[in-house]
Amino acid sequence: MPALNFPDFEAYSNSVDGIDGEMRVTGHGDGPWLLNVLELGELTLLHGMDGAPVLYRGAPHEGRFGAYLSLPGSQTELDGQRVGDDGFTWLAPRVELQGFTRVPATFLAIDFTERVLLEQAAEIEGLDVNTLYRTRNIVTTTAMVGHISALVQRAFEVREARPDAFAENGPRQAFVAQLTSAVLQCHQRAAAEPCVARRGRPPLPRREIVRRGVEHIQRSLRGEAAFSDIPFAVGASQRSLNRAFDDLFGMAPHHFYLIERLHAIRSALRSAKPGDTVTGICSRFGVWDLGRMAAQYARMFHLQPAQELARAVGAKPAAGVAGTGRRR
């Protein structure tokens, strides 16, 4: 997956924009120094492989934030804590971070501009924005961090298969919003963790959980909320959500959301107007991976989205030609 092969660690470390830092090799390593970079405007993705164990010290530039995810086997410690598969290290502007790796490490990193981060943070109810300006280790769950990792790696795969996949604003902005929201949800989860247990609070009935969940999913499809906010919007744990949806629908909330989104896209395609595009319509619903969506759409409806759009637009008579009468 990495695309750039550097002759030494100095060239490797100097290639990362948005951060001032120093890297020192601390052990033997004959491996390559590899880096793959995906620029998405106000967000940059990096997948890196160190060629040796290193010592690091640095800080993001003013107005830039970062998330560092250590991949399995890396043995990375930042600010005195091991970066595990249930968390990541958060880097705030101009706040210095120290760390080291015991073996040649592999990692994923995300660089955010302040504007895109705060814009998405405003969509998450109850998030304390002040905490974003502190460099610290964010510990949540393996599933939440794994979701972020999967999004980043999928973006690289999509770019490799289709180099122009993120050229249009719609898919690019949809992906940036989805990934940024996933990272911020980890911040909120980490902040709420000490007070998860609440004595004397009766559990919500499962039907009420599902009702609130479906309502939130519909709001997210209209662009009024982020799907990832669903546990906070419903007021239930992810485990309770999963159980309730499985009892009543035989599937997890995310699967339910994907099905609802496919149907919403189908409805929009069928009511499309001349000049509408599949990319434009899908981006309204936060879809950026058009290839995967098209495959899911075809499996469900036995028709490609482009064919659905062509049918809808082709069935509509051109303006000024339809009808036999004239209106004054």
Side-chain angles (χ1 to χ4, degrees), residues 254-277:
H254 187 254
H255 190 187
F256 183 92
Y257 165 76
L258 293 178
I259 291 175
E260 288 291 292
R261 187 169 70 173
L262 283 174
H263 279 274
I265 290 171
R266 188 189 195 202
S267 178
L269 288 170
R270 289 185 162 190
S271 60
K273 300 176 182 177
D276 284 343
T277 65

Side-chain angles (χ1 to χ4, degrees), residues 139-155:
V139 179
T140 56
T141 67
T142 302
M144 293 180 76
V145 177
H147 176 57
I148 294 171
S149 178
L151 282 174
V152 173
Q153 297 193 63
R154 179 60 184 166

Side-chain angles (χ1 to χ4, degrees), residues 205-267:
R206 291 186 181 180
R207 290 192 178 276
E208 178 63 11
I209 290 175
V210 168
R211 185 192 70 77
R212 295 184 186 183
V214 171
E215 180 178 277
H216 182 78
I217 287 170
Q218 295 303 324
R219 290 183 61 229
S220 71
L221 290 174
R222 295 194 298 268
E224 299 170 3
F227 170 76
S228 53
D229 289 346
I230 188 169
F232 302 98
V234 172
S237 68
Q238 189 66 55
R239 183 178 180 182
S240 295
L241 271 168
N242 291 345
R243 282 183 174 178
F245 269 76
D246 189 60
D247 280 350
L248 298 187
F249 295 124
M251 65 182 67
H254 187 254
H255 190 187
F256 183 92
Y257 165 76
L258 293 178
I259 291 175
E260 288 291 292
R261 187 169 70 173
L262 283 174
H263 279 274
I265 290 171
R266 188 189 195 202
S267 178

Side-chain angles (χ1 to χ4, degrees), residues 47-50 68-74 76 101 103-108:
H47 174 262
M49 180 182 298
D50 297 341
Y68 179 98
L69 290 76
S70 179
L71 295 180
S74 296
T76 300
T101 62
V103 298
T106 55
F107 66 89
L108 297 174

Side-chain angles (χ1 to χ4, degrees), residues 65-285:
F65 298 77
Y68 179 98
L69 290 76
S70 179
L71 295 180
S74 296
Q75 299 184 33
T76 300
E77 296 193 23
L78 295 173
D79 269 6
Q81 295 187 37
R82 174 72 65 89
V83 185
D85 59 4
D86 61 347
F88 56 85
T89 299
W90 181 249
L91 291 81
R94 310 309 304 168
V95 180
E96 189 172 86
L97 175 80
Q98 294 84 24
F100 65 93
T101 62
R102 298 183 183 275
V103 298
T106 55
F107 66 89
L108 297 174
I110 311 167
D111 175 77
F112 306 85
T113 66
E114 187 173 37
R115 193 194 73 81
V116 75
L117 193 71
L118 296 183
E119 185 177 86
Q120 197 63 35
E123 301 294 325
I124 300 180
E125 185 177 355
L127 177 66
D128 184 359
V129 174
N130 292 326
T131 63
L132 301 178
Y133 291 86
R134 299 206 315 263
T135 288
R136 60 197 180 111
N137 287 289
I138 303 294
V139 179
T140 56
T141 67
T142 302
M144 293 180 76
V145 177
H147 176 57
I148 294 171
S149 178
L151 282 174
V152 173
Q153 297 193 63
R154 179 60 184 166
F156 279 116
E157 292 169 1
V158 169
R159 194 272 303 272
E160 184 176 350
R162 293 184 292 113
D164 63 344
F166 295 104
E168 295 188 39
N169 283 336
R172 184 172 65 252
Q173 292 175 356
F175 172 77
V176 168
Q178 186 178 357
L179 179 60
T180 305
S181 178
V183 171
L184 291 173
Q185 288 298 326
C186 289
H187 276 270
Q188 189 172 48
R189 171 66 181 264
E193 193 65 30
C195 54
V196 167
R198 299 180 182 179
R199 297 181 179 178
R201 181 184 180 186
L204 283 172
R206 291 186 181 180
R207 290 192 178 276
E208 178 63 11
I209 290 175
V210 168
R211 185 192 70 77
R212 295 184 186 183
V214 171
E215 180 178 277
H216 182 78
I217 287 170
Q218 295 303 324
R219 290 183 61 229
S220 71
L221 290 174
R222 295 194 298 268
E224 299 170 3
F227 170 76
S228 53
D229 289 346
I230 188 169
F232 302 98
V234 172
S237 68
Q238 189 66 55
R239 183 178 180 182
S240 295
L241 271 168
N242 291 345
R243 282 183 174 178
F245 269 76
D246 189 60
D247 280 350
L248 298 187
F249 295 124
M251 65 182 67
H254 187 254
H255 190 187
F256 183 92
Y257 165 76
L258 293 178
I259 291 175
E260 288 291 292
R261 187 169 70 173
L262 283 174
H263 279 274
I265 290 171
R266 188 189 195 202
S267 178
L269 288 170
R270 289 185 162 190
S271 60
K273 300 176 182 177
D276 284 343
T277 65
V278 172
T279 298
I281 289 172
C282 290
S283 62
R284 297 179 202 165
F285 300 96

